[in-house]
Amino acid sequence: MFMKWGIDFTFVDFTDPANVEAAIKPNTKLIFSESPVNPVLKLADVAAISAIAKKHNVKHCCDCTFATPVIMRPLDLGADMALQSTTKYYDGHNMTVGGAVASKDAECNEALHFYRNMHGNVMSPMVSWLTLQSSKTLVLRVTQQSKTAQRVAEFLASHPKVDTVCYPGLPSHPQHELAKKQHMNGLHGGMLAFEVKGGTAAGKKLMDTIQRPWSLCENLGASESIITCPAVMTHANMETADRLKVGITDGFVRVSCGIEDPEDLLRSLRVALDGL
């Protein structure tokens, strides 16, 4: 939508910082990264990309919604701005919609405050209050969600109806070493993804048959565990070729682990997968 105002974009594979540097043009003003990436859980080397940005006098903004400040703090890794969707983990209870941009850079900080004041795009008092209340348990929730996600990922990796599992905490993740270096407290987040054998049909059947405590919806980061089939839900509006190009296959399933008893979650998953 911004292209009609003369703003150009270049889409880059951020898993290799060299790709980012190669894509910088004379008119490049901002590098926008996301780590971990929704929904495919790829990582960006925030420190390396921030160094490249500074080398070329370009600002770097990192969306770290999946990580939260409990797991990764882009500003401490050299980024100019950190972006968070407060709708997700900060809220954690499906109550609000919001977002935040933070910066340690004086120029960025002044500009952010100016535009916020000019446009009035701030949270309502009620949303602000709810977000402040739920933020008090952010560390407790994210810690439990991450531990549960690790167990769920390990279970899925051993199940015969599952082709692949993507979770930064697994040694099989292609960027596991970066995750260990970049993520704090030995935690890797409550989000994971896996691919079931049988494509879209199997993915749909899993959505239709999985029992509580799993919930079927498109949100993430909540206290409830949520399971989603992006090909027919969150990313259904993408062209099939584009969706496959970024790694969202027909049998791709996104998981947001909550704070329930992990044994209950594993039991429900086992029953649903065994029935595929």
Side-chain angles (χ1 to χ4, degrees), residues 3-273:
M3 295 184 72
K4 63 183 178 181
W5 287 300
I7 300 176
D8 296 325
F9 300 88
T10 303
F11 292 95
V12 177
D13 179 359
F14 275 78
T15 57
D16 185 352
N19 295 335
V20 178
E21 186 161 28
I24 293 176
K25 303 175 183 178
N27 64 339
T28 300
K29 302 296 182 185
L30 176 70
I31 296 172
F32 190 97
S33 66
E34 181 183 18
S35 188
V37 173
N38 179 18
V40 293
L41 280 302
K42 293 179 179 179
L43 305 180
D45 188 331
V46 179
I49 293 169
S50 296
I52 290 170
K54 287 177 172 56
K55 174 183 173 182
H56 293 273
N57 196 29
V58 174
K59 299 296 184 185
H60 176 206
C61 177
C62 178
D63 182 339
C64 54
T65 295
F66 272 25
T68 79
V70 179
I71 294 171
M72 184 180 72
R73 299 174 183 175
L75 300 185
D76 292 344
L77 296 172
D80 298 291
M81 291 170 279
L83 179 71
Q84 293 275 348
S85 169
T86 59
T87 307
K88 311 302 191 300
Y89 286 97
Y90 278 82
D91 177 309
H93 298 80
N94 308 298
M95 301 181 296
T96 66
V97 175
V101 185
S103 177
K104 290 199 295 188
D105 180 273
E107 180 185 354
C108 288
N109 198 48
E110 184 178 346
L112 288 170
H113 281 78
F114 174 77
Y115 287 113
R116 184 182 67 181
N117 182 61
M118 289 292 291
H119 294 290
N121 54 343
V122 295
M123 293 179 179
S124 69
M126 187 64 184
V127 168
S128 299
W129 183 79
L130 287 169
T131 304
L132 284 172
Q133 298 310 303
S134 57
S135 293
K136 294 174 183 177
T137 59
L138 178 65
V139 175
L140 295 173
R141 287 185 283 107
V142 170
T143 299
Q144 181 58 51
Q145 288 165 309
S146 297
K147 291 179 179 178
T148 297
Q150 183 74 37
R151 288 194 61 186
V152 170
E154 291 170 357
F155 161 75
L156 290 170
S158 66
H159 199 282
K161 295 293 179 69
V162 175
D163 260 338
T164 58
V165 182
C166 187
Y167 183 66
L170 291 179
S172 59
H173 190 285
Q175 296 174 288
H176 181 60
E177 292 304 315
L178 174 60
K180 291 195 296 183
K181 180 182 76 171
Q182 189 163 265
H183 294 167
M184 302 184 300
N185 305 313
L187 303 174
H188 300 289
M191 301 298 301
L192 63 104
F194 66 99
E195 187 174 355
V196 291
K197 295 177 180 177
T200 302
K204 284 183 177 179
K205 185 176 181 180
L206 181 65
M207 300 302 104
D208 291 339
T209 58
I210 196 160
Q211 300 297 311
R212 295 292 186 181
W214 292 97
S215 296
L216 177 63
C217 68
E218 296 189 1
N219 195 22
L220 60 92
S223 296
E224 303 92 347
S225 290
I226 296 167
I227 193 163
T228 306
C229 186
V232 294
M233 295 176 69
T234 56
H235 294 71
N237 61 338
M238 290 182 69
E239 294 288 340
T240 302
D242 292 337
R243 176 169 55 78
L244 294 174
K245 185 177 180 180
V246 298
I248 306 173
T249 60
D250 293 340
F252 187 94
V253 178
R254 188 185 74 181
V255 173
S256 173
C257 291
I259 60 173
E260 305 93 342
D261 187 329
E263 292 300 328
D264 291 338
L265 295 169
L266 293 176
R267 186 180 303 111
S268 178
L269 266 176
R270 185 179 296 109
V271 170
L273 286 169

